[in-house]
């Protein structure tokens, strides 16, 4: 019985090579006996499998090769080095010979034991015969010239043409009469110059003149133009005093080279210079004039639009932004795209008091103009960080780094604004980078926690549910506010992983609450955009055992910035599962009312900003209008930010279903919920 690894090798052989007919492929055992035989081998050598399997592979060699031990030598080489490769004459079943390219590969088992050899033979007879015929006719110069892809001409010491090939005439568009043996080279050049003035590809180059290469064996090269084509000419001097020249039509090659060069220095999406080109430009600008400003630009809200509308829409937005930035600069500086939604501007000659602030304001204004995406208006902003050399850096790396640091300050200041670099910003940037690393570690080690703020049912005067809120108890910093670390999580992509963890943890902890208590979880637009939300929700419910109707997903208008069929379909599928959906922070966006027609929300949460100043008549009017609208839509109302009895009395007067705020309780850790519920009735029990 064959060893298991040998059986596996044979099975692999049959699966991989039995259908190959262009190559003779067969297996040898360690002694060189044939154990497998494919259709290509049968076709190439004439043996059926049953005729050859079991015979030694040396039967394909001629008597002379066998007497010299050639088969054995090849097998030993493969055994020793793992591979043998050679060419030579082999013999078919009918006695005819063919020229074969042979490869023998040693095959070893997992334990290192030699299992045998794989032998691949290709019939190269025709190639061999062609090579022999070419060798026989190599003395014929006309044949060699006729097979050249380049044009070639030979000129004697008197500058007369000795010979040229047809390709030479074709490339330079010359008739045969002008290229006869003995024709003066000057006559050919006069024809070229008369036709259109042949010159080098360089601007302002003079027409090509007759010349004699200086120095034997020193090649001279140049590009010529001929009827709109680019011709590469290489000339090499000969010991006899003449020279040989080759010409080649390199129009397409030069076009490709120029394209590659352009791509190497430009962004493919916007056509702007890229990071490498910008760095080189900035170095030159600083060397010529140290008074150079660098403005780092980063789009605000681009990620939300890209995730909501899709990457094609995001690409279109970036192209539009690039055009707007070009329009502001009008060639007065260099603008480049660094990647993603990052751009950078270099402005030379800023030491004379040039109003950089005005440029930054115009850039912000231009980018901030609304643009249409798929029939909907979208808004993005831009934050700008500015560093001015040599004050903020005498070299390009320092200047760029400091502009980037100033950019982070602009983002921290509320975005859609600009900031100049100031001494000390380095420390702030370093602190932010450290916080980002610590957040990543906290996510990795599970150091974040959930707290829960009660949502009170005003009609039943009891607890209706809890909203899950993410908290970060840092061992050294103390409690890090969510508005500090959530933006970092969004920028770094950690928000998706965090969101999935929050869903699982909230469902797990809510499963032990009274059955009438629900849990609300905030969901980001990124989770919808990446198409994983349904899977995460389903898994969280299944693992926890929580009933779907006890889970409420809170979404903001960023999720519904377009009537994306995928987003709306996802919401409907979640509703059919029994999960409730609430529209959070209602009234704070650009068009909250328009989103109510896209999806039948179970609940609308009125933002705390309308309740904080309830004494203002316009706020009162807005809350009344939203309450009436929700009633017409069949949605419940939850009012956030209740902190005083006056605010509570107001929302009770409007017959709002639920309220949430510090008046009832601050967010509590899961361990404090049972004592809290013990002193207050639930909505059903009330």
């Amino acid at each position: 019985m064959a060893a298991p690894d040998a059986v596996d090798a044979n099975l692999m052989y049959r699966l991989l090579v039995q259908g190959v007919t262009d190559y003779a492929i067969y297996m040898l055992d360690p002694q060189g006996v044939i154990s497998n035989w494919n259709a290509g081998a049968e076709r190439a050598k004439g043996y059926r499998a049953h005729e050859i399997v079991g015979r030694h592979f040396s039967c394909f060699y001629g008597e002379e090769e066998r007497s010299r031990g050639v088969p054995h030598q090849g097998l030993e080489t493969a055994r020793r080095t793992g591979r043998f490769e050679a060419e030579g004459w082999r013999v078919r079943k009918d006695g005819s010979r063919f020229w074969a390219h042979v490869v023998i590969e040693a095959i070893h088992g997992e334990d290192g034991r030699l299992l045998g050899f794989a032998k691949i033979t290709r019939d190269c007879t025709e190639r061999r015969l062609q090579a022999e015929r070419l060798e026989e006719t190599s003395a014929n110069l006309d044949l060699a010239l006729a097979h050249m892809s380049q044009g070639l001409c030979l000129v004697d010491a008197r500058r007369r043409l000795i010979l040229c090939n047809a390709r030479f005439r074709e490339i330079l568009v010359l008739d045969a009469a002008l290229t006869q043996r003995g024709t003066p080279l000057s006559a050919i050049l006069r024809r070229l110059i008369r036709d259109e003035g042949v010159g080098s590809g360089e601007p302002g180059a003079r027409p090509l003149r007759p010349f004699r290469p200086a120095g034997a064996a020193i090649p001279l090269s140049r590009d010529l133009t001929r009827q709109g084509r680019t011709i590469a000419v290489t000339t090499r001097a000969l010991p006899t005093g003449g020279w040989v020249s080759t010409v080649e039509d390199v129009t397409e090659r030069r076009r490709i080279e120029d394209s590659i060069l352009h791509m190497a220095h430009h962004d493919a999406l916007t056509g702007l210079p890229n990071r490498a080109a910008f760095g080189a430009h900035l170095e030159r600008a600083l060397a010529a004039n140290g008074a150079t400003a660098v403005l780092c630009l980063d789009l605000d809200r681009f990620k939300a639009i890209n995730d909501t509308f899709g990457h094609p829409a995001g690409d279109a937005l970036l192209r539009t932004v690039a055009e707007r930035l070009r329009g502001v600069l009008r060639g007065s500086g260099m603008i480049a795209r660094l990647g993603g939604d990052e751009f950078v501007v270099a402005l030379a000659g800023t030491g004379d008091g040039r109003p950089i602030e005005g440029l930054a304001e115009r850039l912000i204004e231009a980018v901030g103009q609304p643009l249409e995406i798929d029939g909907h208006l979208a808004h993005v902003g831009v934050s700008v960080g500015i560093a001015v050399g040599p004050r903020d850096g005498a070299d390009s790396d320092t200047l760029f780094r400091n502009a980037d640091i100033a950019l982070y300050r602009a983002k921290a200041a509320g975005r859609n604004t600009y900031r100049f670099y100031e001494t000390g910003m380095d420390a702030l940037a370093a602190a932010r980078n450290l916080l980002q690393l610590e957040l990543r570690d906290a996510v990795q080690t599970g150091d974040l926690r959930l707290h829960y703020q009660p949502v009170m049912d005003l009609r039943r005067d009891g607890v209706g549910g809890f909203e899950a809120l993410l908290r970060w108890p840092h061992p050294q910093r103390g409690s890090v506010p969510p508005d500090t670390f959530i933006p970092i999580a969004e920028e770094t992509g950690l928000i998706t992983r965090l969101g999935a963890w929050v869903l699982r943890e909230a469902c797990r902890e809510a499963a032990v609450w009274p059955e009438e208590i629900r849990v609300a979880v905030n969901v980001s637009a990124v989770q919808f955009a990446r198409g994983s939300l349904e899977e995460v929700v389903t898994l969280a419910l299944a693992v926890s055992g929580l009933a779907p109707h006890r889970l409420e997903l809170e979404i903001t208008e960023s999720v519904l910035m377009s009537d994306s069929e995928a987003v709306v379909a996802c919401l409907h599928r979640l509703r059919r599962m029994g999960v409730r959906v609430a529209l959070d922070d209602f009234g704070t966006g650009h068009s909250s009312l328009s989103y109510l027609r896209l999806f039948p929300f179970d609940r609308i949460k009125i933002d705390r900003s309308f309740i904080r100043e309830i004494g203002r008549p316009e706020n009162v009017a807005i809350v009344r209008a939203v309450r009436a609208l929700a009633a017409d839509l069949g949605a419940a109302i939850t009012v956030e930010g209740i902190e005083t009895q006056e605010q509570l009395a107001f929302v009770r007067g409007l017959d709002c279903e639920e309220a949430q705020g510090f008046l009832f309780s601050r967010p509590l850790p899961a361990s404090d919920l049972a004592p809290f519920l013990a002193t207050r009735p639930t909505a059903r029990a009330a």
Side-chain angles (χ1 to χ4, degrees), residues 339-407:
D341 59 347
E342 299 177 78
F343 298 84
V344 63
V345 173
L347 197 64
T350 57
D352 56 356
R354 194 170 184 172
I356 304 173
E357 299 94 333
L359 173 62
E361 290 171 352
R362 292 195 301 276
L363 292 171
I364 293 171
E365 180 182 5
V367 173
Q369 297 299 314
L371 68 156
E372 185 175 309
I373 299 178
D374 295 336
H376 298 272
L377 286 180
H379 298 76
V380 292
V382 64
S383 299
V384 183
I386 308 169
V388 181
R391 180 191 68 198
D392 300 328
D395 60 273
S396 61
D397 289 342
T398 303
L399 197 59
F400 181 83
R401 184 186 69 246
N402 290 342
D404 197 48
I405 291 172
L407 173 62

Side-chain angles (χ1 to χ4, degrees), residues 275-327:
R275 184 186 294 270
F278 180 82
H281 172 84
L282 184 57
E283 289 283 3
R284 292 192 297 269
L286 288 171
N289 184 351
T292 301
V294 172
L295 293 81
C296 285
L297 291 74
D298 190 272
L299 299 185
D300 303 327
R301 298 185 300 276
F302 171 75
K303 182 173 177 57
I305 291 179
N306 195 52
D307 290 339
T308 303
F309 289 92
H311 292 295
D315 290 346
L317 185 151
L318 291 172
R319 285 191 290 267
T320 299
V321 167
E323 286 303 317
R324 291 178 177 180
L325 297 177
R326 282 194 189 99

Side-chain angles (χ1 to χ4, degrees), residues 3-81:
D5 44 4
V7 173
D8 292 344
N10 290 336
L11 176 59
M12 182 178 297
Y13 169 82
R14 288 195 298 273
L15 292 175
L16 293 178
V17 304
Q18 279 297 341
V20 178
T21 59
D22 291 338
Y23 292 83
I25 305 176
Y26 48 96
M27 299 285 290
L28 308 177
D29 69 9
Q31 287 72 44
V33 176
I34 300 166
S35 59
N36 268 305
W37 188 252
N38 82 329
E42 178 178 328
R43 183 178 64 83
K45 300 187 178 183
Y47 291 96
R48 299 292 185 116
H50 70 273
E51 297 175 311
I52 199 66
V53 171
R55 296 180 62 181
H56 197 274
F57 83 105
S58 60
C59 65
F60 306 128
Y61 289 73
E63 182 61 34
E64 181 183 354
E65 286 87 352
R66 289 199 299 270
S67 65
R68 290 190 288 112
V70 173
H72 175 75
Q73 294 168 8
L75 209 60
E76 284 303 306
T77 299
R79 190 190 310 272
R80 187 178 65 258
T81 67

Side-chain angles (χ1 to χ4, degrees), residues 534-597:
E534 287 179 73
E535 179 182 345
V536 171
V537 170
T538 302
L539 181 62
L541 292 174
V543 172
S544 65
L546 186 72
H549 71 273
R550 295 181 59 196
L551 174 62
E552 184 170 275
L553 302 180
E554 296 188 2
I555 66 173
T556 60
E557 68 175 52
S558 62
V559 176
L560 294 168
M561 289 185 69
S562 75
D563 54 351
S564 166
E565 294 182 3
V567 172
V568 174
C570 178
L571 290 175
H572 279 292
R573 288 193 296 271
L574 290 169
R575 278 282 297 277
R576 286 195 293 271
M577 290 169 54
V579 176
R580 302 180 184 184
V581 183
L583 180 59
D584 196 13
D585 296 338
F586 185 83
T588 61
H590 293 286
S591 53
S592 294
L593 288 173
S594 68
Y595 299 129
L596 294 179
R597 65 180 175 82

